[in-house]
Amino acid sequence: MGRGRDGILTILLVLLVGGTIACLVAALVDGLGPWVLAVVALLAAGVARLKWREVRARRAERRTGDAVHDLYTDALDRAGRGDHAGAATRLAGALRRGGGDLTTELQQCLAAAHLALGETGRAVAVWREAYELNRREQGDDAPPTIAAANGLAAALLTHGDRAAAAARYRDTLDRCRRLLGDADPETVAALNGVTRTDPTPRHDEVAALYEDLFGPFHPDARIARRQSAPQDPATARLATGDLRAARALSEQAAAPGDGNATGTPAALNDLAMVLREQRDLMGAYRAYERATELSDPLDPHHLTALAGLTRIMLLQGDETNATAALTDLAEAYATRYGPHHPETTAARRNLARLTRPA
């Protein structure tokens, strides 16, 4: 019915516009034969029809974009409330509508929702599709492709496919070091994965590198140092690449408790690190944000959470807010530890690296 009605409206529009123009031309120009007037009318009608279709296409695209954005917003709200199944349904619906400019974010969030539900196979499938899409459209060395490669590796590792994850991490690490340098968050993610999938992991060497790059209290340096001699079950699982178990144990430790030690900023920071390594960036951001809310501005755990938030912003490609956050963090380090403390110096060095012209 809809298509038939649209067709009738189009014919009426063509007749109206073409006839009107033909009458005007006939009135203004004497001596034109009926065939000339007919050609003029058809040309004018054709132009009018094309214009009408263009307007309709723009309206349809705008409606689709609005619908995708609404589904994405609703999905984020549901994920924040713990309704990961509802979030996954809406994210999948948004992708079926085309995704548009939000395709990358939708795929990342959909994979994270599947991980939160324990659907690791589905998370692998989403990340694989994202990786292949970026690879076809932008090439192997493009930043979105590298990010998707790390996401795919993390999903494979969580799913238990250790060999495939290790191979993907190694390939991505080579690209990251060649294109981005050791300090880039994607390089860190790949190196973490390579280390955890190695039969004889050298977490102490990685910790020394991160301490030199980011400072001794940075979340990456701290977790790497703890993984070299883990004192708790979650860190021990993380050190060996058992991301699924590490997440479960970290979520348990970070859950609100009844007067015990759970739900602390330290536990939330640990959970955020595991979620980040699984590529659940929104979940990691929420955990870091909650840690800042529960701690004083100059508390070490608060500063660790701020550093973690900065890394999440960089992984999301938000360099503007990451620069502002790192500026505030460098000032907080100077206030807490002094202007010449290694942490302050490292933060300033990272800020300079981030703001250096390409």
Side-chain angles (χ1 to χ4, degrees):
M1 285 294 293
R3 289 184 178 180
R5 185 170 57 252
D6 289 345
I8 293 172
L9 289 175
T10 300
I11 292 172
L12 291 175
L13 179 65
V14 167
L15 292 174
L16 177 62
V17 173
T20 301
I21 293 176
C23 291
L24 289 173
V25 171
L28 293 173
V29 182
D30 293 331
L32 290 179
W35 291 109
V36 175
L37 292 176
V39 171
V40 171
L42 287 174
L43 288 174
V47 171
R49 185 171 184 273
L50 290 174
K51 189 64 177 177
W52 174 252
R53 291 179 64 182
E54 181 184 341
V55 170
R56 288 186 60 200
R58 282 203 302 266
R59 288 178 178 174
E61 184 179 353
R62 186 165 59 249
R63 286 195 297 270
T64 299
D66 291 343
V68 167
H69 183 271
D70 290 343
L71 287 168
Y72 179 49
T73 303
D74 185 43
L76 292 181
D77 179 65
R78 289 174 179 273
R81 292 186 279 110
D83 181 12
H84 299 292
T89 299
R90 280 147 185 80
L91 292 164
L95 284 168
R96 282 195 298 270
R97 289 175 177 265
D101 294 339
L102 290 174
T103 297
T104 298
E105 289 85 349
L106 291 169
Q107 289 173 322
Q108 290 178 356
C109 291
L110 178 57
H114 286 314
L115 287 176
L117 293 168
E119 299 168 348
T120 57
R122 290 187 175 184
V124 170
V126 172
W127 273 119
R128 195 182 302 281
E129 182 180 353
Y131 172 68
E132 294 298 340
L133 176 64
N134 283 291
R135 190 182 181 191
R136 286 194 307 270
E137 293 185 350
Q138 304 191 51
D140 288 337
D141 292 343
T145 307
I146 290 174
N150 271 329
L152 174 58
L156 287 167
L157 190 57
T158 305
H159 187 56
D161 195 344
R162 192 179 186 88
R168 174 56 52 206
Y169 274 131
R170 284 195 298 270
D171 177 76
T172 307
L173 179 59
D174 290 339
R175 297 180 188 278
C176 286
R177 282 182 161 162
R178 175 167 50 87
L179 299 166
L180 305 174
D182 284 340
D184 190 89
E186 295 296 352
T187 310
V188 171
L191 179 56
N192 287 342
V194 168
T195 304
R196 291 179 184 130
T197 55
D198 194 297
T200 56
R202 298 177 176 85
H203 291 293
D204 52 346
E205 295 179 10
V206 174
L209 172 63
Y210 293 163
E211 287 171 2
D212 181 59
L213 288 172
F214 311 125
F217 301 155
H218 190 275
D220 285 293
R222 280 184 158 180
I223 201 71
R225 183 62 66 191
R226 285 170 55 191
Q227 285 178 111
S228 63
Q231 300 294 316
D232 62 278
T235 304
R237 296 300 185 93
L238 182 63
T240 59
D242 189 352
L243 300 184
R244 191 168 187 171
R247 175 173 183 151
L249 292 167
S250 296
E251 286 177 336
Q252 181 180 357
D258 299 323
N260 55 25
T262 60
T264 63
L268 287 163
N269 283 337
D270 286 350
L271 171 61
M273 177 61 72
V274 176
L275 294 177
R276 194 196 79 178
E277 293 303 282
Q278 276 196 315
R279 213 66 180 192
D280 184 351
L281 300 184
M282 292 304 299
Y285 192 97
R286 286 191 293 267
Y288 277 133
E289 197 170 44
R290 182 58 177 158
T292 65
E293 294 169 355
L294 296 176
S295 53
D296 295 328
L298 295 180
D299 182 86
H301 296 302
H302 186 96
L303 299 178
T304 296
L306 289 180
L309 286 172
T310 302
R311 303 298 279 181
I312 298 296
M313 293 173 190
L314 289 174
L315 286 168
Q316 292 174 328
D318 187 1
E319 291 192 1
T320 300
N321 283 323
T323 300
L326 191 52
T327 300
D328 293 340
L329 185 60
E331 294 176 357
Y333 281 142
T335 302
R336 177 70 171 81
Y337 301 116
H340 304 297
H341 189 275
E343 201 71 31
T344 308
T345 302
R348 288 173 175 166
R349 186 171 61 246
N350 291 324
L351 179 60
R353 184 185 296 115
L354 183 58
T355 56
R356 184 181 303 140

